[in-house]
């Protein structure tokens, strides 16, 4: 039987993101307040927790795949220090102009995660701070939640979210109530 999941954006949802700025080194990774608590809450709800992230700096040649892996490892270390974690990380390494199937709002990363991890996307949740995160979720029939962290406050006008939360912990509370109520 397929498992429900929380498919969570990385930059601006789990970690600090400044518009126009990217995490280009492990020591630049900083968790947002409430991120670890939210991930712990999602796991307690019985969901798989999967990071789904566009990473254009790879496609632009600013970092390579090994550097991206080191940045993601640092995120996992910081989460582990707070008793949290994720089940998997999927990243699109392409620039927006590449026209790939995996860069959100295209659903390729979500479909890959579903195939690899036996996920029920229609019964799952997509959490992010950008309209592209939510569009990817809509394309697979998931429930979408916009967080106001990162670029979320600016995206409110353009994002068609099923729910809006202040941060990842708030999104996890909404998801918990939906999982328990449904």
């Amino acid at each position: 039987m397929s498992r429900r999941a929380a498919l969570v954006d990385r930059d601006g949802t789990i970690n600090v993101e400044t518009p126009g700025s990217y995490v280009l080194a492990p020591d630049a990774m900083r968790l947002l307040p409430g991120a670890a608590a939210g991930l712990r809450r999602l796991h307690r709800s019985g969901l798989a927790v999967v990071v789904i992230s566009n990473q254009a700096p790879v496609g632009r040649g600013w970092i390579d795949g090994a550097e991206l892996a080191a940045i993601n490892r640092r995120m996992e270390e910081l989460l582990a220090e707070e008793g949290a974690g994720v089940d998997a990380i999927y990243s699109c390494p392409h620039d927006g102009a590449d026209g790939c199937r995996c860069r959100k709002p295209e659903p390729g990363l979500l479909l890959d995660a579903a195939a690899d991890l036996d996920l029920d996307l229609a019964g799952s949740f997509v959490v992010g701070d950008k309209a592209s995160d939510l569009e990817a979720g809509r394309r697979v029939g998931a429930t979408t939640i916009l967080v106001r962290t990162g670029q979320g406050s600016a995206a409110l006008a353009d994002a068609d979210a099923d729910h809006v939360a202040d941060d990842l912990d708030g999104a996890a509370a909404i998801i918990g109530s939906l999982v328990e109520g449904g």
Side-chain angles (χ1 to χ4, degrees):
M1 184 166 110
S2 295
R3 184 174 180 194
R4 295 171 83 181
L7 301 143
V8 182
D9 176 55
R10 192 190 84 177
D11 299 329
T13 305
I14 295 174
N15 63 276
V16 175
E17 175 188 31
T18 306
S21 178
Y22 297 92
V23 178
L24 300 177
D27 63 355
M29 174 60 66
R30 303 279 182 272
L31 297 180
L32 283 164
L39 294 173
R40 287 192 307 268
R41 189 187 298 238
L42 291 169
H43 274 122
R44 283 195 307 270
S45 294
L47 301 171
V49 178
V50 181
V51 175
I52 304 290
S53 182
N54 288 346
Q55 290 299 316
V58 177
R60 294 175 185 164
W62 300 347
I63 61 174
D64 61 26
E67 290 166 316
L68 176 59
I71 292 165
N72 285 334
R73 275 193 307 278
R74 180 62 182 150
M75 177 192 68
E76 291 180 295
E77 290 167 0
L78 292 170
L79 290 170
E81 289 171 9
E82 295 192 38
V86 298
D87 296 302
I89 300 172
Y90 287 77
S91 298
C92 169
H94 305 106
D95 184 70
D98 291 345
C100 66
R101 67 176 278 287
C102 58
R103 184 173 176 82
K104 296 176 289 181
E106 296 301 324
L109 290 178
L110 287 78
L111 296 170
D112 291 347
D116 294 346
L117 305 171
D118 192 26
L119 302 179
D120 169 15
L121 291 177
S124 292
F125 306 88
V126 173
V127 181
D129 68 317
K130 297 174 195 68
S132 60
D133 300 321
L134 306 180
E135 178 61 25
R138 273 192 303 284
R139 290 182 183 187
V140 298
T143 300
T144 60
I145 302 174
L146 178 73
V147 291
R148 289 187 178 99
T149 53
Q151 297 178 37
S153 291
L156 275 171
D158 298 323
D160 182 20
D162 294 314
H163 303 276
V164 177
D166 287 335
D167 58 17
L168 184 52
D169 195 33
I174 292 168
I175 291 168
S177 70
L178 295 171
V179 168
E180 292 170 13

